[in-house]
């Protein structure tokens, strides 16, 4: 078995032996050994401190709101909303101009999948860190190239004669000329012409996908050997000359017809793999010889009892070094994924994650010792990279044990099948191989290896047919899930250019509680724009799928915290026709309602919005749970009997749906024999249905049931998700813990109110963190609703405390400004707008004035503005701030803005004049 498992990881025949032992060569003029942590911090500090970039933390490896990706696989993933023009203008992301970070990336599954290549060479990884710097409409090619060259040669000390640069050579078919601008920039920096190499679309034109932002790129390559002309080795996938940094210049948008249009805003997106950079700076040709991996490799050696890692590839006859690399790589990936909440499972990212566990389990058979050393390195990694050591080890150990059990069970099944085969030279049944893979998760290539030892091969023709049928079924099941109609970057720019105002979605929060039922206000709106999936249109016809943008909406768009609302529109003059809202998306300040038009719809139409509100109440959820658990406790027998279809349909109370059943059909009932139901001999309440599937023999086998989710699909019909058995017990325990945490916060708030702004803000943050846990942890749904209600009360109370303490600080602050120009501004506001208390802040340099009228002060504005309907806070802020070269925005009651300049006397005078004109004094 050991030999078979290790053979599974045999290297590709096209790869030659890179070296027979680990290389300690270093480049001249540089002392290798810069620790990986210093390499990372040097990169981040260079852009943050020297070039004014904002440090943005890495996002989790599970993409947020991007169903096109299984994992975050590039540094730019979290910034997609900016590139696509969909960033919420109210978000911090919308203000990004220069950004730097180190992003956790996983390439295992999907378009970028390195899972099968890991271990066969010394540079492929399923998990890696991507160092990157970005410019969103700020600097472009010249600054990006200059910064990159300075960091590599001056700060990291990499000899310039080891570096080669590639640039885009153009593409006649696409109508793209060579990027001579970038070439000239590199020449001006000092790169010799013979080290500047042109390449085509494949190597030096980067695209986000089939459509979307794209542009030429320039790459920096490093020669591990040095002292030679290695230009012919660039982009040949050799181990000696490797790409270390890619600088992408996003200046085009690829349309669905493959045409290219210039983007409204040019951006820079760069990426440099930390692992590869560390190998360069530590003088190693193998990433596995750096301090990112050597502690893990040492831990594997200590635990397994086999010989130490020697770094061999092609000469790795026993494949032990290959297995070392697989285990070390996958342990990093598994640990980071689990820490980010991605656990092994049977679909999507979880399935790929489980494949990594199983691949690592196979490779980890380095000795006959038991248990295998899969989690022995977790402690080493957790000390330097991730947290939650115990929970990560628990998850991996549990999944490893499941896989090893599957291996044993599958091996027995293979042996039994082989023993039943009359002729040892006949093919192995494809149905058995497929069952092993589908039902046990047994790797198909491992089946091939085991059979190869017996001189038997799998019937791949049958296996391929079964796999194709399975894929067809899966596709048909997913055929109802359609892609969302989302605005592209060009359409968003058109909306902005046409002056279409952002959607006012404040109505989504204006609900009230009336006798335990939430009531939403009526919402009437105007159609401002329609999007047909490719471009903005003025009208859509019946049956056409489109995105509808309104001036206001009461629908919640999915932005974090919960799924989008569902419901429908009715159009003025056509009240009996419903336009169902299938999804609601927030893009660049606009709320896009995805609708399949039930009739024609055009811009300017007046519509009324209707929300689906009929969720089950807390008491109803508890009642459903009690009913099911009563049946479980009764341990009722589950009866079944085959009957002619016409006879089965005569059973009173039979639950049927519009499905095609065979004749005869299987009838299943709980607690009452089918014969009694057929003869109408009982009035007992029971569950009876037509079903050809498998069922428990007794209800007590379920043990326990907890409803953990409930969501209305259509009016009057809810989808309930429940867990049973041990999972139900864990859900109850988790609910109890969260309930105790909410009790603790409530006691703290009622026992001693926070006395400082910092403590109040910390308390509000704790409430927010606990709210997230309540929203996302599997607990009884009725308990979730109760805790959510209590936490909303705590949040309101804590927010009120924060506002009161802020007000107190404002009063104290204003008392120190009575002799300053800022106080004069306060007097202008007080005299002409009758504001009781604005917060005015002057920066230490006295060059930027910021005026913010706080939410709390809105009450004063409301009272006074009722008598001044023509005067709005936003008008005043825009007028004054634009005068000083700034910008402003807000509503009639609350506004904020910024302006530049050290002398604000002109602004004071204009504010006074503007106010007089508006209120006609």
């Amino acid at each position: 078995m050991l030999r078979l498992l290790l053979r599974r990881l045999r290297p590709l025949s096209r790869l030659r032996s890179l070296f027979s032992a680990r290389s300690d060569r270093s480049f001249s003029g540089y002392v290798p050994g810069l620790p990986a942590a210093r390499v990372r911090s040097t990169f981040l500090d260079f852009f943050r401190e020297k070039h004014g970039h904002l440090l943005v933390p890495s996002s989790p490896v599970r993409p947020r709101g991007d169903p096109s990706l299984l994992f975050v696989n590039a540094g730019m993933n979290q910034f997609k909303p900016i590139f696509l023009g969909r960033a919420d203008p109210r978000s911090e992301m919308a203000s990004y101009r220069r950004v730097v970070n180190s992003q956790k990336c996983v390439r295992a599954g999907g378009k970028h999948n390195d899972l099968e290549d890991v271990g066969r060479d010394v540079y492929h990884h399923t998990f890696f860190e991507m160092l990157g710097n970005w410019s969103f409409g700020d600097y472009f090619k010249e600054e990006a190239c200059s910064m990159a060259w300075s960091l590599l040669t001056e700060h990291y000390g990499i000899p310039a004669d080891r570096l080669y640069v590639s640039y885009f050579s153009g593409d006649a078919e696409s109508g793209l000329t060579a990027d001579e601008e970038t070439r000239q920039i590199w020449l001006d920096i000092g790169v010799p012409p013979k080290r500047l190499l042109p390449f085509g679309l494949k190597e030096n034109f980067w695209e986000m996908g089939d459509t979307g932002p794209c542009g030429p790129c320039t790459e920096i390559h490093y020669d591990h050997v040095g002292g030679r002309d290695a230009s012919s080795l660039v982009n040949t996938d050799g181990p000696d000359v490797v790409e270390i940094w890619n600088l992408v210049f996003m200046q085009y948008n690829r349309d669905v017809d493959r045409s290219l249009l210039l983007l409204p805003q040019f951006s820079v997106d760069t990426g440099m793999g930390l692992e590869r950079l560390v190998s360069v700076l530590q003088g190693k040709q193998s990433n596995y010889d750096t301090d990112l991996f050597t502690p893990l490799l040492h831990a594997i050696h200590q635990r397994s009892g086999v010989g130490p890692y020697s770094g061999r590839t092609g000469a790795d006859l026993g494949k032990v070094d290959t297995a070392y690399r697989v285990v070390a790589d996958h342990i990093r990936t598994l640990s980071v994924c689990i820490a980010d909440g991605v656990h092994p499972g049977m679909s999507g990212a979880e399935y790929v994650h489980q494949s990594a566990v199983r691949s690592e389990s196979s490779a980890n058979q380095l000795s006959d010792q038991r248990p295998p050393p899969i989690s022995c390195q977790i402690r080493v990694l957790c000390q330097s990279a991730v947290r939650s050591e115990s929970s990560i080890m628990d998850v991996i150990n549990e999944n490893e044990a499941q896989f090893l059990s599957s291996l044993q069970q599958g091996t027995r099944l293979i042996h039994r099948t082989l023993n039943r085969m009359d002729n040892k030279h006949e093919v192995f049944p494809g149905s058995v191989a497929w069952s092993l893979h589908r039902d046990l998760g047994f790797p198909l290539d491992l089946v091939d290896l085991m059979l190869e030892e017996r001189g038997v091969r799998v019937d791949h023709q049958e296996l391929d047919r079964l796999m194709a049928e399975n894929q067809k079924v899966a596709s048909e099941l997913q055929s109802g899930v359609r892609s969302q109609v989302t605005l592209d970057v060009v359409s968003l720019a058109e909306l902005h250019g046409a002056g279409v105002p952002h959607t006012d979605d404040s109505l989504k929060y204006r609900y009230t509680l009336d006798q335990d039922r939430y009531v939403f206000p009526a919402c009437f709106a105007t159609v401002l724009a329609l999007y047909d999936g490719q471009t903005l249109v003025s009208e859509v016809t019946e049956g056409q799928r489109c995105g509808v943008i309104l001036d206001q909406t009461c629908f919640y768009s999915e932005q974090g915290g919960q799924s989008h609302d569902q419901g429908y529109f009715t159009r003025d003059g056509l009240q009996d026709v419903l336009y169902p809202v299938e999804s609601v998306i927030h893009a660049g300040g606009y709320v896009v309602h995805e609708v399949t038009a039930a009739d024609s719809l055009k811009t300017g139409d007046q519509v009324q919005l209707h929300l689906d509100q009929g969720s089950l109440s807390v008491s109803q959820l508890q009642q459903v749970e009690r009913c099911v658990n009563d049946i479980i406790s009764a341990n009722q027998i589950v009866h079944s009997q085959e009957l002619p279809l016409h006879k089965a349909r005569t059973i009173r109370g039979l639950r049927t749906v519009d499905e095609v059943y065979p004749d005869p059909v299987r009838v299943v009932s709980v607690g009452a024999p089918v014969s009694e139901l057929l003869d109408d001999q009982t009035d007992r309440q029971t569950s009876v249905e037509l079903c050809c599937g498998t069922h428990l023999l007794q209800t007590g086998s379920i043990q326990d049931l907890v409803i953990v989710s409930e969501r209305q699909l259509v009016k009057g019909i809810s989808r309930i998700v429940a867990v049973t058995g041990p999972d139900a017990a864990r859900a109850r325990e988790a609910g109890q813990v969260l309930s105790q945490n909410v009790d603790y916060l409530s006691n703290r708030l009622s026992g001693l109110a926070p006395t400082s702004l910092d403590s109040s803000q910390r308390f509000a943050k704790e409430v927010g963190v606990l709210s997230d846990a309540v929203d996302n942890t599997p607990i009884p749904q009725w308990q979730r609703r109760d805790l959510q209600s209590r936490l909303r009360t705590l949040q309101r109370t804590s927010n009120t405390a924060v506002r009161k303490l802020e007000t107190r600080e404002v009063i104290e602050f204003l008392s120190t400004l009575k002799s300053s120009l800022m106080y004069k501004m306060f007097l202008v506001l007080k005299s002409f707008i009758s504001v009781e208390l604005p917060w005015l802040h002057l920066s230490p340099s006295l060059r930027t004035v910021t005026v913010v009228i706080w939410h709390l002060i809105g009450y004063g504005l409301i009272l006074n503005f009722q008598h001044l309907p023509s005067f709005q806070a936003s008008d005043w802020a825009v007028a004054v701030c634009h005068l000083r070269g700034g910008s402003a925005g807000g509503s009639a009651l609350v506004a904020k803005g910024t302006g530049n300049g050290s002398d604000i006397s002109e602004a004071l005078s204009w504010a006074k004049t503007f106010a007089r004109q508006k209120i006609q004094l």
Side-chain angles (χ1 to χ4, degrees):
M1 174 63 75
L2 170 63
R3 183 157 58 92
L4 290 172
L5 290 170
L6 293 177
R7 280 188 58 200
R8 179 171 177 253
L9 299 159
R10 61 183 181 273
L12 297 173
S13 58
R14 64 181 176 83
L15 294 177
R16 62 183 179 84
S17 173
L18 301 181
F19 40 84
S20 59
R22 290 178 292 173
S23 171
D24 290 322
R25 290 178 295 176
S26 64
F27 44 77
S28 59
Y30 181 76
V31 179
L34 190 66
R38 282 282 306 281
V39 175
R40 184 192 297 109
S41 63
T42 297
F43 181 92
L44 300 177
D45 291 344
F46 172 82
F47 286 100
R48 187 165 53 91
E49 297 175 0
K50 291 187 174 294
H51 296 285
H53 287 60
L54 175 69
L55 177 59
V56 175
S58 170
S59 67
V61 295
R62 166 66 65 85
R64 295 171 176 167
D66 190 348
S68 66
L69 293 174
L70 289 176
F71 296 101
V72 168
N73 58 19
M76 55 74 61
N77 288 164
Q78 69 167 305
F79 304 118
K80 269 189 176 182
I82 302 179
F83 292 128
L84 296 173
R86 297 175 187 160
D88 189 330
R90 299 166 296 181
S91 68
E92 182 184 7
M93 182 177 287
S95 67
Y96 289 171
R97 293 297 176 266
R98 298 182 174 206
V99 167
V100 63
N101 85 337
S102 180
Q103 174 64 50
K104 297 175 291 185
C105 300
V106 172
R107 290 189 175 177
K111 179 180 178 182
H112 299 287
N113 183 8
D114 292 337
L115 187 61
E116 297 301 323
D117 293 324
V118 168
R120 301 178 179 185
D121 56 38
V122 294
Y123 49 85
H124 272 103
H125 305 291
T126 52
F127 165 76
F128 64 95
E129 287 188 60
M130 185 67 84
L131 303 172
N133 61 288
W134 288 266
S135 165
F136 306 111
D138 191 349
Y139 60 82
F140 202 44
K141 296 180 179 180
E142 184 175 357
E143 297 90 340
C145 294
S146 177
M147 292 176 195
W149 195 258
S150 172
L151 176 62
L152 293 178
T153 60
E154 298 172 12
H155 294 265
Y156 283 136
I158 299 177
D161 61 7
R162 292 286 187 96
L163 300 177
Y164 296 80
V165 178
S166 64
Y167 67 95
F168 181 51
S169 62
D171 183 74
E173 185 177 347
S174 303
L176 294 169
T177 59
D179 190 2
E180 291 295 333
E181 178 186 4
T182 297
R183 181 178 184 275
Q184 188 59 49
I185 290 171
W186 285 119
L187 290 173
D188 294 341
I189 287 175
V191 178
K194 65 180 180 180
R195 291 176 177 269
L196 269 171
L197 310 172
F199 287 92
L201 282 172
K202 179 182 177 182
E203 298 85 1
N204 281 84
F205 194 87
W206 188 92
E207 304 201 39
M208 183 182 296
D210 294 334
T211 61
C214 56
C217 63
T218 182
E219 297 175 335
I220 303 174
H221 303 256
Y222 176 78
D223 178 16
H224 276 285
V225 177
R228 59 176 180 169
D229 181 2
S231 57
S232 63
L233 300 177
V234 172
N235 279 335
T236 59
D237 291 329
D240 293 335
V241 179
V242 295
E243 171 210 332
I244 57 174
W245 207 344
N246 186 10
L247 285 64
V248 180
F249 306 127
M250 293 198 188
Q251 57 192 88
Y252 300 105
N253 184 71
R254 177 78 73 180
D255 209 342
V256 291
D257 62 0
R258 303 301 293 163
S259 62
L260 292 170
L261 298 174
L262 285 176
L263 287 168
Q265 170 182 284
F266 289 2
S267 298
V268 173
D269 166 14
T270 85
M272 177 161 56
L274 174 68
E275 290 77 6
R276 193 168 289 185
L277 177 62
V278 169
S279 70
V280 168
L281 296 178
Q282 294 184 2
K284 311 291 185 182
Q285 279 193 312
S286 167
N287 295 351
Y288 293 91
D289 290 338
T290 68
D291 64 348
L292 288 169
F293 287 92
T294 50
L296 289 174
L297 295 171
H298 177 70
I300 297 169
H301 168 58
Q302 294 295 108
R303 182 70 169 84
S304 67
V306 301
Y309 175 69
S310 60
R312 294 173 297 177
T313 52
D316 180 14
L317 300 179
K319 305 302 181 292
V320 172
D321 286 342
T322 300
Y324 260 115
R325 288 188 289 270
V326 171
V327 174
D329 172 89
H330 288 4
I331 276 293
R332 295 175 83 223
T333 304
L334 297 171
S335 300
V336 171
C337 286
I338 294 170
D340 277 354
V342 183
H343 290 200
M346 291 306 294
S347 64
E350 289 81 3
Y351 179 73
V352 175
H353 192 17
Q354 178 165 284
S355 299
V357 175
R358 297 183 170 191
S359 173
E360 195 232 8
S361 298
S362 299
N364 219 359
Q365 313 298 307
L366 296 176
S367 72
D368 292 331
Q369 296 181 5
R370 293 293 184 269
I374 286 188
S375 61
C376 68
Q377 316 91 307
I378 293 293
R379 186 169 290 105
V380 176
L381 183 64
C382 288
Q383 291 171 354
S384 59
V386 299
R387 300 176 182 175
S388 307
E389 172 189 328
S390 60
S391 61
I392 293 173
M393 293 177 67
D394 289 343
V395 171
I396 291 181
N397 283 333
E398 179 182 352
N399 279 273
E400 181 202 14
Q402 291 175 355
F403 179 54
L404 292 177
S405 174
S406 296
L407 281 180
Q408 294 169 359
Q409 187 177 351
T411 301
R412 290 194 298 268
L413 180 57
I414 288 174
H415 288 158
R416 284 200 302 270
T417 305
L418 288 172
N419 292 334
R420 287 198 304 266
M421 292 169 58
D422 296 332
N423 185 352
K424 300 302 179 184
H425 296 289
E426 65 183 89
V427 294
F428 189 85
S431 58
V432 177
W434 176 241
S435 177
L436 285 168
H437 178 68
R438 180 194 59 199
D439 303 325
L440 296 178
F442 206 93
L444 288 173
D445 56 351
L446 188 56
V447 174
D448 284 332
L449 285 172
M450 295 180 67
L451 294 177
E452 187 179 327
E453 290 293 310
R454 304 285 294 269
V456 178
R457 63 182 180 84
V458 173
D459 185 348
H460 279 283
Q461 185 175 356
E462 182 185 16
L463 178 60
D464 291 342
R465 179 182 60 80
L466 292 169
M467 293 176 67
E469 288 180 359
N470 182 76
Q471 181 61 40
K472 181 181 178 181
V473 171
S475 299
E476 289 173 351
L477 288 174
Q478 295 175 1
S479 61
V481 181
R482 296 174 292 183
S483 59
Q484 294 177 324
V485 176
T486 55
L487 295 171
D488 61 19
V489 64
V490 175
S491 297
L492 282 168
E494 288 183 27
L495 288 173
H496 288 296
V500 177
H502 292 149
T503 309
D504 176 9
D505 62 349
S506 58
L507 284 173
K508 67 186 180 186
Y509 294 129
R510 295 184 191 169
Y511 47 83
T512 57
L513 187 60
D514 182 14
Q515 296 181 347
D516 294 328
R517 181 177 177 85
Y518 286 98
V519 179
F520 288 80
C523 181
F524 299 88
T526 302
V527 178
L528 299 183
L530 296 166
Y531 182 69
D532 67 0
Q534 297 183 1
T535 186
L536 295 174
V537 295
S538 59
E539 185 175 4
V540 292
T541 57
E542 179 182 350
Q544 190 171 355
R545 191 158 162 258
C546 63
V548 182
I549 299 170
L550 306 171
D551 60 339
Q552 65 174 352
T553 184
C554 58
F555 279 73
Y556 177 88
S557 55
E558 188 164 353
Q559 304 172 74
Q562 67 190 56
S563 299
H564 61 78
D565 281 331
Q566 291 184 315
Y568 57 91
F569 299 161
T570 54
R571 200 184 82 196
D572 277 8
L574 201 66
Q575 304 294 345
D576 58 334
V577 177
L578 308 183
Y579 295 76
V581 177
E582 298 159 8
S583 69
V584 190
I585 308 158
H586 197 279
Y590 298 103
V591 176
V592 183
H593 307 78
E594 185 181 331
V595 168
T596 299
D599 203 290
S600 63
L601 191 67
K602 60 181 182 295
T603 56
D605 279 348
Q606 305 296 309
V607 296
Q608 182 174 1
L609 282 64
H610 305 265
L611 282 172
D612 280 342
Q613 309 168 36
S615 297
L616 294 177
S617 66
V618 168
S619 61
Q620 288 173 322
L621 286 168
Q622 290 174 314
Q623 183 180 356
V624 172
E625 267 192 19
R626 282 195 302 269
C627 178
V628 175
N629 281 305
D630 287 344
I631 296 173
I632 294 173
S633 299
N635 197 21
Q636 295 184 358
I637 296 174
V638 179
H639 301 269
S640 66
Q641 182 178 338
E642 269 199 353
L643 294 173
L645 185 59
H646 73 277
K647 195 171 185 179
R649 293 190 184 279
T650 65
I651 297 176
R652 189 172 63 178
L654 178 70
R655 186 182 68 86
T656 60
V657 292
D658 294 328
E659 294 180 10
V660 178
Y661 288 96
D663 191 2
V665 67
R666 187 165 179 261
V667 182
V668 181
S669 68
V670 177
V674 177
S675 58
E676 294 182 13
L677 300 176
L678 188 64
D679 296 333
D680 199 19
Q681 297 175 0
T682 178
D683 291 328
R684 285 184 294 171
Q685 290 186 341
T686 185
S687 171
V688 58
E689 64 179 356
L690 306 180
C691 184
C692 299
T694 56
H695 289 261
L696 298 173
L697 299 179
Q698 291 182 271
T699 60
S701 302
I702 299 173
Q703 300 177 4
D704 191 10
L705 179 137
V706 169
I707 297 172
V708 296
S709 173
E710 180 268 336
R711 177 185 175 189
Q712 188 178 33
L713 297 179
V714 296
K715 194 169 185 65
I717 300 177
S718 291
R719 178 187 181 188
I720 288 178
V721 176
V723 292
T724 59
D727 287 340
R730 283 191 284 268
R732 294 188 192 279
E733 292 170 2
Q736 185 63 30
V737 170
L738 289 173
S739 180
Q740 292 172 354
N741 290 340
V742 173
D743 289 340
Y744 172 68
L745 278 185
S746 299
N747 293 335
R748 280 176 54 194
L749 186 62
S750 60
L752 182 62
T755 57
S756 70
L757 183 57
D758 285 343
S759 62
S760 295
Q761 290 172 335
R762 281 196 301 271
F763 186 90
K765 185 176 181 180
E766 287 182 57
V767 175
V769 170
L770 189 52
S771 296
D772 287 342
V774 168
D775 291 344
N776 299 304
T777 304
I779 62 174
Q781 182 69 3
W782 65 265
Q783 191 174 35
R784 189 192 318 278
R785 296 263 179 86
D786 177 65
L787 295 179
Q788 286 171 335
S789 177
R790 294 175 61 191
L791 285 167
R792 281 193 292 266
T793 301
L794 286 177
Q795 193 73 68
R796 285 194 295 268
T797 304
S798 62
N799 288 344
T800 300
V802 168
R803 288 197 296 270
K804 288 181 179 179
L805 291 167
E806 284 175 344
T807 301
R808 188 178 71 186
E809 289 194 5
V810 170
I811 295 172
E812 294 172 357
F813 173 72
L814 288 175
S815 66
T816 65
L817 298 177
K818 290 192 175 182
S819 61
S820 68
L821 288 175
M822 293 302 298
Y823 190 66
K824 295 179 182 178
M825 177 69 87
F826 167 66
L827 293 178
V828 169
L829 289 171
K830 192 174 191 306
S831 300
F832 291 98
I833 309 181
S834 301
V835 183
E836 294 181 10
L837 192 61
W839 179 325
L840 307 173
H841 172 67
L842 194 64
S843 67
S845 63
L846 298 180
R847 297 194 63 82
T848 301
V849 178
T850 303
V851 181
V852 180
I853 302 176
W854 278 85
H855 160 289
L856 184 65
I857 313 311
Y859 302 127
L861 289 171
I862 291 171
L863 292 174
N864 288 283
F865 280 22
Q866 286 174 347
H867 303 292
L868 301 172
S870 64
F871 191 83
Q872 298 189 2
S874 57
D875 292 341
W876 184 89
V878 169
V880 176
C881 294
H882 278 189
L883 181 70
R884 304 307 305 164
S887 60
S891 66
L893 305 180
V894 183
K896 65 178 180 180
T898 60
N900 302 314
S902 58
D903 181 7
I904 63 169
S905 57
E906 184 181 1
L908 288 171
S909 176
W910 171 241
K912 184 175 181 180
T913 301
F914 183 85
R916 285 184 181 276
Q917 292 173 350
K918 283 291 183 181
I919 59 179
Q920 299 178 351
L921 289 179

